[in-house]
Amino acid sequence: MTERQLDCALDLMRRLPPQNVEENLTGVIDLVPSLCEELLSSIDQPLKIAKDSSGKDYLLCDYNRDADSYRSPWTNKYDPPLDDGAVPSESLRELEITANQAFDVYRDLYYEGGVSSVYLWDLQEGFAGVILIKKVGDGSKKIKGCYDSIHVFEVQETSRGANATYKLTSTVMLWLETNKESSGMMQLGGSLTRQQKQQFTVSDASPHIANIGGMVEEMENKMRNTLNEIYFGKTKDVVNSLRSASGLESQQMKNALAAELFQTLKRK
């Protein structure tokens, strides 16, 4: 029964607006407390922004949390302070710093604003990490919205280190809200998850960051196109089917002409 309840809960959460996921998730957990751990680990929640001691913004998620503290990718320190908090190894920390700088440029070029954070952690074989990007609308022209992009990856190197296998799981959450006198209030939102696995050569000319960055860029382009087709394209089709582009008199004239042609052809 628990597996059935979990499937139903996950299916329900996929159909609810992403901007209300925290409220809806709390309600589902209150109904079925036994699913708390599974739901929290399975459902992505909108990213939150914090500011570290150096004054730089960073994103909060389960991957940079230890107890009730969150680690900044810029200072490598926890807030609130935590003496024994988990941090990456020295070599991986250097890679994390470079990755944050690279994706900060990527975010600025693609989104012209927003906040990005990259967190890495060691595995027994290889390493893993998450790339987070968040862009919030400024609320201009009575349009509000938010875009959250979460890319979790795992890197497994070969024994010689010449090649590596990359597993990527990407989730994009998008919601928009417009409130105009001419069209009224309309909300549009949804989420999309995709997975990919590829193998690349690792060298000075093709380091881990370049390989991961290429996969993330390709995946985001595909997912943005899919979101555009599914949410915006289908919404436009629905709206167009609810109203007529031509006036009522023009439509009545077309119907009368069609009926006249039918009667003429019928007499022949």
Side-chain angles (χ1 to χ4, degrees):
M1 184 64 181
T2 303
E3 292 184 3
R4 175 62 176 169
Q5 289 177 328
L6 179 60
D7 291 339
C8 293
L10 293 175
D11 187 57
L12 175 64
M13 292 301 299
R14 280 193 293 268
R15 300 171 187 274
L16 294 174
Q19 65 269 30
N20 301 329
V21 65
E22 292 184 63
E23 178 183 350
N24 296 328
L25 183 58
T26 301
V28 173
I29 292 175
D30 288 341
L31 290 174
V32 193
S34 60
L35 298 179
C36 178
E37 186 175 348
E38 290 86 347
L39 290 174
L40 291 176
S41 62
S42 302
I43 298 174
D44 291 308
Q45 301 185 47
L47 302 170
K48 295 182 179 180
I49 302 174
K51 193 179 294 290
D52 62 19
S53 56
S54 66
K56 296 206 67 170
D57 291 333
Y58 67 102
L59 297 172
L60 309 182
C61 68
D62 287 338
Y63 299 101
N64 71 320
R65 185 180 69 181
D66 195 333
D68 293 327
S69 299
Y70 292 88
R71 182 173 67 90
S72 166
W74 307 108
T75 63
N76 202 29
K77 296 180 181 178
Y78 280 90
D79 184 28
L82 193 65
D83 296 332
D84 57 347
V87 295
S89 60
E90 185 176 345
S91 59
L92 195 62
R93 173 57 185 163
E94 293 179 2
L95 185 63
E96 184 181 72
I97 293 173
T98 306
N100 273 282
Q101 294 171 347
F103 279 96
D104 192 47
V105 175
Y106 169 88
R107 171 202 51 77
D108 187 56
L109 292 175
Y110 266 93
Y111 300 97
E112 298 180 353
V115 181
S116 66
S117 295
V118 181
Y119 302 102
L120 304 181
W121 58 91
D122 296 277
L123 301 176
Q124 290 184 351
E125 296 181 2
F127 65 93
V130 62
I131 300 163
L132 310 172
I133 300 173
K134 185 180 186 70
K135 176 67 181 293
V136 180
D138 57 6
S140 62
K141 300 180 180 179
K142 298 183 179 180
I143 299 176
K144 296 188 296 183
C146 183
Y147 177 94
D148 290 294
S149 182
I150 304 171
H151 304 275
V152 182
F153 62 88
E154 181 180 332
V155 181
Q156 297 288 339
E157 296 181 341
T158 58
S159 57
R160 296 182 178 180
N163 298 299
T165 301
Y166 302 84
K167 298 178 182 178
L168 177 66
T169 301
S170 300
T171 300
V172 168
M173 293 178 285
L174 171 70
W175 71 269
L176 294 171
E177 180 182 298
T178 62
N179 189 5
K180 298 181 179 180
E181 293 183 1
S182 58
S183 59
M185 177 180 289
M186 186 186 75
Q187 294 181 339
L188 179 67
S191 62
L192 195 64
T193 301
R194 293 289 184 269
Q195 293 182 326
Q196 187 179 16
K197 181 178 179 180
Q198 284 186 282
Q199 189 175 62
F200 292 104
T201 300
V202 181
S203 64
D204 293 338
S206 181
H208 286 304
I209 293 178
N211 295 336
I212 296 169
M215 290 182 67
V216 169
E217 182 179 21
E218 180 184 3
M219 181 68 79
E220 281 209 328
N221 288 334
K222 290 180 179 178
M223 296 179 76
R224 278 196 297 265
N225 291 335
T226 302
L227 285 171
N228 184 52
E229 294 174 3
I230 293 177
Y231 294 105
F232 297 100
K234 287 190 176 181
T235 300
K236 183 178 179 181
D237 292 340
V238 171
V239 172
N240 289 337
S241 66
L242 293 174
R243 68 180 184 87
S244 176
S246 57
L248 180 60
E249 294 183 0
S250 176
Q251 189 63 40
Q252 290 176 342
M253 291 178 61
K254 290 181 180 179
N255 293 338
L257 179 60
E260 184 179 350
L261 289 173
F262 177 76
Q263 293 296 333
T264 302
L265 293 173
K266 187 177 181 180
R267 287 194 295 268
K268 292 183 177 181

